[in-house]
Amino acid sequence: MDALTSSTESNFLHWHAISPDTLLDTQKSDPKKGLAIEEVKQRLTKYGLNALPEHKRRSVLTLFFKQFQSPLIYLLLSAAIIAFLLKEISDAAVILVVVLLNSLIGAIQEGKAERSLESLRKLSKLIVTVRREGQDLRIEAQELVPGDILLLGAGDAVAADGRIIEARDLSVSEATLTGESLPVRKNISVLQVDTILAERKNMVYSGTFVTSGRGIAVVVTTGQKTEVGKISKLSAEGKKLLTPLEEKVAHFGKMIIYLAIIVFILIIGIGSLRGLAFPEIFMVGVSQIVSMIPEGLPVAITVALAVGVRRMARKKAIVRNLSAVETLGSIDVICTDKTGTLTKNEMTVRELYLPSGENVEVTGVGYAPHGEINVMGVKQDQTDKRIDSLLTAGVLCNDASLIQDESNQWKILGDPTEGALLTLAAKRGMNKKEFEQRFPRKNEIPFDSTIKLMATEHQIGKMTITWLKGAPEKILKYCSVDEKPHLVGNDMAQRALRVLAFAEVQGPITEEMRKGNFTGDIKFLGLMGQLDPPRNEVREAVQECLKAGIRPVMVTGDHKRTGLAVGDILGFMRKDDEVVDGLELEKMSEKELEDRIGHISIFARVHPEQKLRIIQAFQKKKNVVAMTGDGVNDAPALVRADVGVAMGLTGTETAKEAAKIIITDDNFATIVEAVKQGRLVYRNVKKLILFLFSTSISELIVLFTAILLGYPPPLAAVQILWINLVTDGVLSINLIMEPEEGDEMRQQPIPRDELLIDSKMTRRILLLSPTIAISALCYFFYVSAIGKTFSEVQTQTFTVMVVAQWFNALNCRSGTKSVFKLSLLRNKWLVVGLLAGNLLQVLVIYAPFMNQIFHTTPISLLEALVIGIVGSSVLWVEEIRKFFIHRERV
């Protein structure tokens, strides 16, 4: 035994080859009580957290040197060397300082973005159920220790390696570990020592998930010592993948580099023909390349995504995959479950129907067991066996628990639908724990979405009884009943009630029952109708979707009439729309589904496999689809959807692992809010691109026009560098921080293949860039003509360009709204950027040591005022454009 105990920390103990009793003795654990809390603390100290080593965070120094891995930096460093060789010492020094500062700023910004994303990943934590000191507790997976009693159910993710000591129809998907595509049926038998990992049917492993049934396992290894921990190093060495937007920007950047080289050659050629000194024209050419290449854009994209993720987290949407942020902006179909997402998921049994034909009213709301059970308006006493039989089935064929928390609030552990049955029974004084002790469960068929029912077998004295609970259309077809229960069930469903049917079978669960074949004397016990009221905010969210070009589609397991009733209340149904149930969907060909799906707003009584088919049909029609899910069988659909959305409150761990986004309040309105944030991220990236390229092109126009007309370059090389790396630098990231304009959900979804510079942006660039260039050139020609020194001419032209960039940043905040209708204080980051830009510009003009480096001279207050007026011309031209757009819309 000592050898076994000491080998808990080793890798060679064959847990699958020892009996459950030996295992429990080895781990000093009790399956009924679990570990003591004090023992857990000691083991946590000894073995550490149940977690794999996190990727080592990159230091600021590492990120700093990463900034040098850029063609632009290589170009600037080459230019600095050439400038030094040409005796242009000050220019070489400026380039080196700018490179260092730009790299430092980039490293700091990227570091902040990484830390932000890292902190948000921790919000989505795996939760498991363990038994400690006789209580079943929900804890974070990282708190598991060897010896813990781990409780497993359908949809649970396995968070540590464990030896199974109890299994009831337990099947586990191990595809992520062994590659086996089919779930593995588990048992507790002792295996041979040399049994390979894929055949160890008495073990569960971290990283896998339960597909059906229930089980209990003893944790044997955690963290790095698990099977998945042994191979974690491979994933740690994996290369970080770019999001589609980052890839698009990278490709776009390469094209710009080629274009910049052509421009460089043209500048050198034209300058040489004009007889300009080679050192001067060379440095101007290099500076112009810098102005064209959006060197800050990749870091800005990272920051934009990080900001979007953080904003979504504040709105209760946790992003697990960065690409989801940008995809959200393109979503044009949202397929959503009904229960808990469109409704409050606060189930209350409101009506019963008894086999004798009587309707029973139930009063009370919520999970508190307060209320009455009335037949024909008369309160029933405790001796009505018809009601007792129905409620007994509801209590025993049930996996939920009704509890009171520390504040004496009644809560449900488990499925809310089952919880409502316990609340109903408690109103009649029926306690689940007492019933389970009197009538112990011997066997079960867990709820299956295919057969749409659950069955549990119980010992009643010397008798064996199996209770059934499920969809009325399934249960009633096994019972000898007339048409009335069907009509009553349909009536309940039309009034937005979720309907369950109950039945009783004399005898045990058979293999035929597991296949969905129920025959023999099956006694109908009655119907229960539960009300789950729609969320107050959902109707508004649905209308917001429709205005935004997004089509909401309900995909529910509830009855067709229930779905339609709720859909009508919330505004899902448009003119000529239809409701289709799972049976009708099954009969449709792929072609028919594709033809009709544009007019189907509600899919009812669908099973999870059909969700996948619905998604594929929408995607074939070129729709971009978000799909909600909470169950283990929803995982394939969540993975296939463009954005899979898991429920944070009711979702299984399997669903959460498959999803790209987790909404922590299970609310449809939160999904809509996430879409809005996705659109905002993309819109802000486009604002930044507009700002950077309108600047670059205006500089090109100024430079080429002046040289072609025989003038010397209006801007010195170091002044061009200042504009693009300092003036633009303090504003670009700040522009990414723009908040919502308010009309994000009044725009159409973003086409997935939309160009970064589309036709709308092109038209704005063709307006803004010439305006800036004409302003600067006119001022340049004017001051040249009145006899200013060339240093004064360059300084003032340089300042006009800088001031124009400040006003242009204000222009880029919105494509339609006037600057004067957007409070500057809405974006405090932009305010800081503008203040910093002004202070730096004052420094470069008035500080003597900066005058020498940047070839500037001080300007008078009057000249500064005139420059401000000239530089603002780009603002007034853009305001005129916005005025006409507004007038057309009105």
Side-chain angles (χ1 to χ4, degrees):
M1 186 60 64
D2 290 338
L4 284 173
T5 305
S6 63
S7 62
T8 301
E9 299 180 57
S10 70
N11 289 325
F12 65 82
L13 181 62
H14 305 294
W15 300 106
H16 58 279
I18 60 176
S19 69
D21 289 340
T22 304
L23 170 74
L24 289 164
D25 191 26
T26 300
Q27 296 286 2
K28 294 183 172 58
S29 191
D30 183 331
K32 293 184 178 179
K33 295 182 178 179
L35 296 175
I37 299 300
E38 195 58 40
E39 178 66 20
V40 169
K41 292 178 181 178
Q42 292 177 14
R43 296 191 185 193
L44 200 56
T45 302
K46 181 177 182 181
Y47 299 110
L49 290 174
N50 175 37
L52 299 178
E54 295 184 358
H55 294 300
K56 189 176 180 181
R57 184 189 295 173
R58 295 182 294 178
S59 65
V60 174
L61 190 61
T62 302
L63 291 172
F64 174 75
F65 285 113
K66 176 180 173 286
Q67 308 303 312
F68 286 82
Q69 299 172 8
S70 160
L72 176 66
I73 299 298
Y74 300 150
L75 181 67
L76 285 172
L77 291 175
S78 300
I81 293 169
I82 294 171
F84 181 78
L85 294 174
L86 294 173
K87 309 297 184 184
E88 299 287 343
I89 306 300
S90 63
D91 285 1
V94 168
I95 293 173
L96 288 174
V97 170
V98 166
V99 166
L100 292 172
L101 286 175
N102 193 60
S103 298
L104 182 61
I105 292 169
I108 293 170
Q109 289 169 339
E110 195 168 348
K112 283 183 178 179
E114 282 193 357
R115 288 192 296 275
S116 175
L117 293 174
E118 186 178 316
S119 65
L120 287 167
R121 287 190 196 104
K122 294 178 181 177
L123 293 177
S124 177
K125 293 181 177 178
L126 181 61
I127 303 297
V128 296
T129 305
V130 296
R131 185 167 291 158
R132 290 176 178 172
E133 294 188 342
Q135 291 188 312
D136 295 348
L137 308 172
R138 298 279 286 170
I139 65 169
E140 290 184 15
Q142 65 176 6
E143 297 173 15
L144 283 174
V145 296
D148 258 327
I149 302 300
L150 183 62
L151 308 183
L152 300 170
D156 288 346
V158 181
D161 291 359
R163 170 68 159 88
I164 300 168
I165 59 172
E166 183 180 312
R168 291 191 177 184
D169 297 323
L170 181 66
S171 293
V172 178
S173 173
E174 297 180 341
T176 54
L177 186 64
T178 66
E180 172 58 54
S181 58
L182 296 175
V184 179
R185 190 68 174 262
K186 296 293 183 176
N187 57 52
I188 65 171
S189 60
V190 179
L191 301 174
Q192 295 296 317
V193 170
D194 58 356
T195 305
I196 62 172
L197 186 139
E199 297 294 330
R200 296 176 189 171
K201 292 183 168 53
N202 60 6
M203 297 286 294
V204 288
Y205 294 102
S206 179
T208 62
F209 64 87
V210 180
T211 57
S212 63
R214 295 189 296 160
I216 299 176
V218 180
V219 175
V220 293
T221 52
T222 57
Q224 275 189 289
K225 292 182 179 178
T226 61
E227 292 296 330
V228 74
K230 296 172 187 176
I231 59 174
S232 64
K233 187 178 178 182
L234 296 176
S235 61
E237 294 171 351
K239 184 180 179 182
K240 177 182 177 289
L241 298 177
L242 298 177
T243 71
L245 181 57
E246 288 173 326
E247 287 181 345
K248 192 184 289 188
V249 168
H251 177 70
F252 179 67
K254 289 177 182 177
M255 292 178 61
I256 294 297
I257 288 174
Y258 297 139
L259 182 60
I261 292 171
I262 294 172
V263 169
F264 174 75
I265 294 170
L266 286 173
I267 290 172
I268 297 296
I270 295 172
S272 299
L273 290 174
R274 281 299 192 182
L276 297 174
F278 179 76
E280 180 183 11
I281 198 63
F282 173 81
M283 292 305 300
V284 169
V286 169
S287 302
Q288 205 59 62
I289 288 181
V290 173
S291 75
M292 288 190 64
I293 299 174
E295 69 286 339
L297 196 53
V299 173
I301 298 298
T302 303
V303 173
L305 292 172
V307 170
V309 167
R310 182 161 289 282
R311 283 174 172 168
M312 287 184 198
R314 286 200 293 264
K315 302 286 186 179
K316 300 183 180 179
I318 307 301
V319 177
R320 299 186 67 253
N321 187 308
L322 265 185
S323 64
V325 178
E326 57 205 69
T327 307
L328 280 168
S330 300
I331 292 294
D332 54 15
V333 172
I334 300 177
C335 294
T336 176
D337 192 9
K338 176 183 72 69
T339 305
T341 309
L342 302 176
T343 59
K344 294 182 178 180
N345 206 19
E346 296 174 358
M347 308 296 292
T348 305
V349 177
R350 302 300 296 271
E351 292 183 27
L352 310 179
Y353 172 77
L354 302 177
S356 54
E358 290 153 311
N359 290 316
V360 180
E361 178 191 10
V362 181
T363 64
V365 293
Y367 296 126
H370 308 308
E372 297 179 351
I373 299 174
N374 303 318
V375 178
M376 309 296 288
V378 179
K379 181 180 179 181
Q380 295 302 291
D381 58 27
Q382 302 295 317
T383 60
D384 193 322
K385 292 184 178 179
R386 301 167 305 166
I387 295 176
D388 285 347
S389 296
L390 177 58
L391 268 57
T392 298
V395 169
L396 293 175
C397 193
N398 196 315
D399 287 329
S401 299
L402 178 65
I403 62 169
Q404 270 185 298
D405 61 18
E406 295 174 354
S407 59
N408 291 323
Q409 295 294 313
W410 290 93
K411 290 189 175 181
I412 294 298
L413 291 180
D415 184 82
T417 300
E418 293 190 321
L421 306 182
L422 300 181
T423 299
L424 170 65
K427 290 176 182 178
R428 199 166 170 81
M430 301 168 74
N431 182 279
K432 185 184 180 185
K433 282 191 176 181
E434 292 177 4
F435 268 61
E436 287 181 329
Q437 289 173 354
R438 289 171 56 197
F439 313 122
R441 185 184 296 190
K442 297 298 183 181
N443 206 345
E444 66 184 277
I445 300 175
F447 178 79
D448 187 298
S449 57
T450 304
I451 61 174
K452 294 190 181 302
L453 61 78
M454 173 184 178
T456 57
E457 174 190 319
H458 297 263
Q459 194 70 37
I460 313 293
K462 294 183 179 180
M463 295 175 57
T464 298
I465 293 180
T466 297
W467 276 291
L468 309 180
K469 173 189 71 184
E473 64 269 26
K474 294 292 182 180
I475 300 290
L476 291 176
K477 78 176 183 179
Y478 302 132
C479 305
S480 299
V481 294
D482 57 21
E483 190 66 22
K484 189 172 182 183
H486 293 275
L487 296 174
V488 172
N490 289 341
D491 177 64
M492 287 182 178
Q494 284 178 329
R495 289 182 283 117
L497 297 180
R498 168 176 275 192
V499 188
L500 290 175
F502 296 81
E504 175 184 301
V505 181
Q506 297 287 332
I509 291 173
T510 65
E511 285 305 312
E512 283 299 307
M513 289 181 181
R514 293 189 185 281
K515 297 176 184 177
N517 300 322
F518 293 82
T519 56
D521 185 18
I522 301 177
K523 180 183 177 182
F524 173 60
L525 297 177
L527 302 175
M528 293 191 192
Q530 300 185 3
L531 178 65
D532 184 13
R535 291 179 182 266
N536 298 328
E537 65 275 18
V538 167
R539 181 174 177 81
E540 183 180 343
V542 168
Q543 295 306 309
E544 194 172 21
C545 277
L546 296 172
K547 291 176 184 176
I550 300 170
R551 191 163 156 240
V553 177
M554 185 192 301
V555 182
T556 179
D558 268 350
H559 195 282
K560 193 173 181 178
R561 290 181 175 85
T562 306
L564 179 58
V566 174
D568 277 337
I569 293 170
L570 297 177
F572 270 76
M573 300 299 291
R574 304 168 303 174
K575 186 179 180 182
D576 300 326
D577 274 2
E578 56 180 320
V579 182
V580 168
D581 65 24
L583 187 60
E584 293 168 322
L585 178 60
E586 200 169 302
K587 293 177 181 178
M588 285 187 201
S589 66
E590 297 301 322
K591 180 70 170 61
E592 184 183 1
L593 178 58
E594 284 182 41
D595 291 341
R596 292 177 60 184
I597 200 164
H599 294 284
I600 302 174
S601 285
I602 299 173
F603 290 91
R605 280 287 190 251
V606 297
H607 53 77
E609 291 78 7
Q610 289 179 319
K611 284 187 175 184
L612 189 60
R613 190 180 173 206
I614 292 167
I615 290 173
Q616 291 170 331
F618 275 120
Q619 289 174 334
K620 285 179 182 176
K621 302 286 283 185
K622 306 300 181 185
N623 292 113
V624 182
V625 187
M627 169 69 84
T628 69
D630 54 11
V632 58
N633 291 330
D634 289 332
L638 291 172
V639 170
R640 180 57 192 258
D642 296 284
V643 177
V645 182
M647 305 295 105
L649 295 176
T650 60
T652 61
E653 297 301 332
T654 308
K656 293 175 187 177
E657 286 296 310
K660 290 182 178 178
I661 289 178
I662 299 171
I663 54 173
T664 59
D665 61 353
D666 292 12
N667 193 336
F668 179 80
T670 301
I671 304 172
V672 178
E673 185 62 41
V675 170
K676 184 190 297 182
Q677 294 301 320
R679 291 185 174 192
L680 176 62
V681 167
Y682 190 81
R683 174 181 268 189
N684 283 350
V685 169
K686 299 274 279 189
K687 290 174 182 178
L688 175 58
I689 293 172
L690 172 65
F691 175 67
L692 293 176
F693 281 91
S694 54
T695 300
S696 301
I697 293 172
S698 65
E699 290 172 13
L700 276 176
I701 295 172
V702 168
L703 182 66
F704 274 114
T705 303
I707 293 176
L708 287 171
L709 293 177
Y711 286 90
L715 301 170
V718 288
Q719 292 170 352
I720 297 174
L721 288 173
W722 177 273
I723 293 172
N724 290 282
L725 298 177
V726 179
T727 305
D728 289 356
V730 297
L731 295 176
S732 57
I733 296 296
N734 309 57
L735 203 53
I736 283 287
M737 309 295 287
E738 272 295 305
E740 301 163 19
E741 291 184 40
D743 64 348
E744 283 78 12
M745 297 303 283
R746 291 197 292 274
Q747 310 296 320
Q748 291 301 299
I750 301 161
R752 295 190 90 168
D753 57 353
E754 181 177 272
L755 298 173
L756 284 175
I757 299 182
D758 58 11
S759 57
K760 284 185 180 179
M761 188 185 293
T762 300
R763 288 194 293 271
R764 289 187 74 189
I765 290 174
L766 291 176
L767 176 67
L768 298 174
S769 295
T771 301
I772 295 171
I774 291 170
S775 302
L777 282 168
C778 288
Y779 195 83
F780 171 71
F781 295 145
Y782 167 72
V783 291
S784 297
I786 61 174
K788 294 283 186 181
T789 65
F790 187 64
S791 178
E792 291 175 322
V793 170
Q794 275 196 329
T795 298
Q796 294 186 32
T797 305
F798 163 52
T799 307
V800 168
M801 292 291 291
V802 168
V803 172
Q805 299 318 310
W806 297 338
F807 284 110
N808 197 33
L810 299 177
N811 285 335
C812 294
R813 295 181 69 200
S814 173
T816 56
K817 292 186 177 180
S818 167
V819 166
F820 304 104
K821 291 184 179 179
L822 288 172
S823 170
L824 191 58
L825 297 178
R826 290 174 72 246
N827 186 349
K828 62 182 180 181
W829 300 102
L830 187 59
V831 174
V832 171
L834 287 169
L835 290 173
N838 275 267
L839 291 172
L840 288 169
Q841 191 64 22
V842 169
L843 184 68
V844 83
I845 291 174
Y846 295 104
F849 73 96
M850 296 291 272
N851 293 155
Q852 293 179 357
I853 297 171
F854 288 93
H855 314 303
T856 55
T857 58
I859 58 178
S860 68
L861 183 60
L862 179 60
E863 287 169 334
L865 181 61
V866 173
I867 287 171
I869 294 171
V870 173
S872 71
S873 58
V874 68
L875 175 72
W876 305 114
V877 169
E878 176 71 349
E879 283 296 304
I880 292 170
R881 184 193 69 83
K882 290 176 181 177
F883 170 77
F884 283 110
I885 287 178
H886 179 71
R887 195 172 71 171
E888 287 174 9
R889 289 183 175 180
V890 174

